[in-house]
Amino acid sequence: MNKINELFDNARGRKLLSLYFCAGCPTADGTADTLRAMQRHGIDIVEVGIPFSDPMADGPVIQDAATKALRGGMTLARLFAQLKAVKDEITMPLVLMGYLNPIMQYGIERFCQSCVESGVAGAIIPDLPFRDYMETVKPVADRHDVRIIMLITPETSEERIRSIDEHTDGFIYMVSSAATTGAQKLFDGEKLEYFRRVGAMGLRNPRMVGFGISNRQTLESSQANAAGAIIGSKFVALLNESRNADEALDRLAEALAGD
């Protein structure tokens, strides 16, 4: 069974926590150490960012991380090699998050095969059109048992949400707002209504809320309305400041426990 499906099947109501970091930042060879630290700290799912020169869905923190990673020589091939080296150590589901351009240059077939060889269970491609997913990417990903995770936003129609739910597997990434990534202090009533509206649809796939989660209020709001939460910018900022994954994780835990 795919590790993503296995995790959700075994969660039994426990709220999950997923973290994102950009491969190659703060150091080009730090991927393995960051993953080991996350596993020690009990993180449920890890999104490993593929650095790209034009990350349109990301805010300044992740854009800066991607720039540093590219300058340090991080490539998709190098990332796969790093992940393959720790495949037998890391038991958490790993999901690659990256944009379509470098993945298409690498090749969809080769990309999915490399995911299998390096222990990657899924991928998030924010700029992948749903039609292209259905016609080009899904057949290849299904053959390799790689889950392609699709995003929805407050502007996504019910028809599109139900189509995504029908034709994907793993989980649905519920973007908290139609904006770029970045920490927020709270989720307003409009966002909470969006969470409730999607929750009432009775979707087949579990949902994870991402974008803007940085403190106890946003974490609890996300977990109350979905299977769990995804934290990106807050952890990336802490990791860049400390340059030590264990320290960054400790500081994140403090921030999420505070008022």
Side-chain angles (χ1 to χ4, degrees):
M1 179 185 290
N2 183 281
K3 282 187 176 181
I4 297 172
N5 299 95
E6 187 175 9
L7 174 67
F8 284 100
D9 285 349
N10 295 333
R12 295 184 175 87
R14 179 176 64 86
K15 296 301 183 179
L16 305 178
L17 179 61
S18 174
L19 296 186
Y20 166 97
F21 75 100
C22 181
C25 184
T27 61
D29 58 355
T31 300
D33 287 340
T34 299
L35 290 173
R36 291 186 187 107
M38 288 179 166
Q39 186 155 283
R40 285 194 297 270
H41 284 253
I43 303 306
D44 295 297
I45 312 175
V46 178
E47 291 180 16
V48 184
I50 304 167
F52 181 52
S53 57
D54 185 24
M56 63 186 71
D58 294 307
V61 170
I62 294 179
Q63 286 183 19
D64 180 65
T67 299
K68 290 176 179 175
L70 291 170
R71 288 175 179 169
M74 180 52 68
T75 65
L76 185 51
R78 185 174 183 180
L79 172 56
F80 275 128
Q82 292 177 345
L83 295 175
K84 189 175 182 179
V86 294
K87 177 182 178 181
D88 295 335
E89 296 179 53
I90 303 302
T91 59
M92 306 170 294
L94 301 182
V95 177
L96 293 185
M97 185 166 187
Y99 292 85
L100 190 58
N101 185 285
I103 294 173
M104 291 299 291
Q105 288 188 14
Y106 192 84
I108 292 296
E109 183 76 39
R110 183 185 174 203
F111 176 82
C112 291
Q113 182 61 43
S114 294
C115 284
V116 173
E117 294 171 353
S118 57
V120 173
I124 301 168
I125 311 172
D127 58 340
L128 172 63
F130 190 68
R131 181 175 179 177
D132 291 350
Y133 159 73
M134 290 293 295
E135 295 178 354
T136 304
V137 177
K138 177 176 166 56
V140 180
D142 286 351
R143 189 166 64 249
H144 291 280
D145 197 32
V146 173
R147 302 290 179 259
I148 304 299
I149 309 302
M150 303 297 290
L151 287 74
I152 64 171
T153 75
E155 280 69 42
T156 307
S157 69
E158 179 174 340
E159 180 182 7
R160 175 54 60 91
I161 292 172
R162 292 198 181 279
S163 183
I164 288 172
D165 187 49
E166 179 182 356
H167 295 289
T168 64
D169 195 9
F171 68 93
I172 292 174
Y173 192 128
M174 191 158 64
V175 177
S176 66
S177 59
T180 58
T181 57
Q184 299 179 32
K185 291 184 178 180
L186 56 84
F187 290 145
D188 59 25
E190 186 175 348
K191 292 184 179 66
L192 295 177
E193 176 55 32
Y194 155 60
F195 296 159
R196 288 190 288 267
R197 174 172 57 83
V198 176
M201 291 177 62
L203 301 178
R204 177 179 60 87
N205 281 297
R207 305 172 314 283
M208 295 284 287
V209 176
F211 285 46
I213 301 166
S214 63
N215 56 20
R216 189 173 71 179
Q217 194 278 343
T218 48
L219 175 67
E220 290 180 348
S221 294
S222 300
Q223 293 182 330
N225 291 279
I230 302 166
I231 298 177
S233 294
K234 181 68 174 181
F235 178 68
V236 170
L238 292 171
L239 184 59
N240 284 336
E241 290 170 11
S242 66
R243 301 181 70 82
N244 178 282
D246 282 299
E247 180 181 335
L249 287 159
D250 286 339
R251 291 176 61 189
L252 177 64
E254 292 175 3
L256 297 177
D259 294 331

